[in-house]
Amino acid sequence: MKVFINPGHMPGIDSGAVNRVLHLQECDIALSLGNLLEGKLKNAGCIVRLLQSDNLCGEAPPAPNICSAANSWAADVFVSLHCNSYNTVARGIETLCYVWDSHAGILAQAIQKQLVDTLQKLDQTIPDRGIKIRPDLAVLRCTAMPAVLVETAFIDNADDALLLVSQQETIAAAIARGITDYWCQLC
Ligand SMILES: [Zn+2]
């Protein structure tokens, strides 16, 4: 299985969401999670490519184009990694895909289940926000393979941010299990 990992946003150009109290940037956490996920998927026998860029689908050349890189590489699975942000109170885990009734929907459910099961063992109060259908997102719309965007937790919420900082290995392992669970369902 060829897995394309896209850590969201781009350090130095687009921080994504931030937690000003804890001095956290979404782009840094996404890259850290992506590097851990890459290692775990390689250990599981996957071929992995990781690309972080602010050029999602051709709008910001000459930065590498994420969607065309994934398409020309012919990835089997595309996973974009992000952190959510809202009002410092909202919490939880959600996974986004283009359309529900699809391989992407199955992949999203597999990843969401592993993340929820794993993080709720560490913190029973973190909510399962479910699968969200987001056909408007470029990385879900312009990718030719099953693609999901994982909103791991809310970076601007103190309890979620603690998980994002202290449980990166656990979060990456859960996402890796979700991806391999999806692949096994197809076999
Ligand atoms: Zn983001």
Side-chain angles (χ1 to χ4, degrees):
M1 172 170 48
K2 293 165 74 175
V3 182
F4 195 100
I5 301 171
N6 162 233
H9 309 279
M10 188 65 199
I13 299 174
D14 167 20
S15 66
V18 295
N19 183 320
R20 295 189 198 287
V21 178
L22 299 174
H23 305 290
L24 303 175
Q25 299 191 120
E26 181 185 354
C27 60
D28 299 328
I29 290 174
L31 180 57
S32 179
L33 287 174
N35 286 328
L36 291 168
L37 178 60
E38 178 176 21
K40 291 177 192 308
L41 288 171
K42 283 181 172 170
N43 286 343
C46 300
I47 304 165
V48 182
R49 183 158 174 209
L50 180 146
L51 177 62
Q52 190 174 35
S53 169
D54 68 325
N55 186 5
L56 299 179
C57 198
E59 72 282 7
N65 180 321
I66 290 165
C67 291
S68 58
N71 291 343
S72 61
W73 189 56
D76 295 304
V77 164
F78 178 98
V79 180
S80 190
L81 300 173
H82 288 252
C83 310
N84 227 329
S85 168
Y86 186 50
N87 61 359
T88 76
V89 177
R91 301 187 61 191
I93 307 150
E94 61 189 42
T95 304
L96 320 180
C97 63
Y98 183 80
V99 61
W100 177 258
D101 189 12
S102 64
H103 281 128
I106 297 169
L107 174 63
Q109 291 173 69
I111 291 173
Q112 180 74 11
K113 182 181 187 322
Q114 284 289 350
L115 268 178
V116 168
D117 288 353
T118 302
L119 288 181
Q120 287 186 344
K121 284 196 186 105
L122 299 170
D123 177 347
Q124 292 176 357
T125 63
I126 188 167
D128 174 3
R129 302 173 64 91
I131 310 296
K132 301 281 161 62
I133 305 305
R134 288 293 300 274
D136 54 308
L137 297 179
V139 292
L140 304 181
R141 187 181 70 242
C142 302
T143 39
M145 67 295 303
V148 296
L149 189 153
V150 185
E151 296 277 14
T152 44
F154 281 70
I155 195 173
D156 64 337
N157 172 272
D159 295 315
D160 275 22
L162 178 65
L163 293 171
L164 288 170
V165 170
S166 65
Q167 300 295 333
Q168 292 188 0
E169 286 277 355
T170 308
I171 292 169
I175 296 170
R177 284 196 301 277
I179 294 168
T180 53
D181 285 352
Y182 158 79
W183 199 248
C184 290
Q185 284 181 52
L186 298 188
C187 301

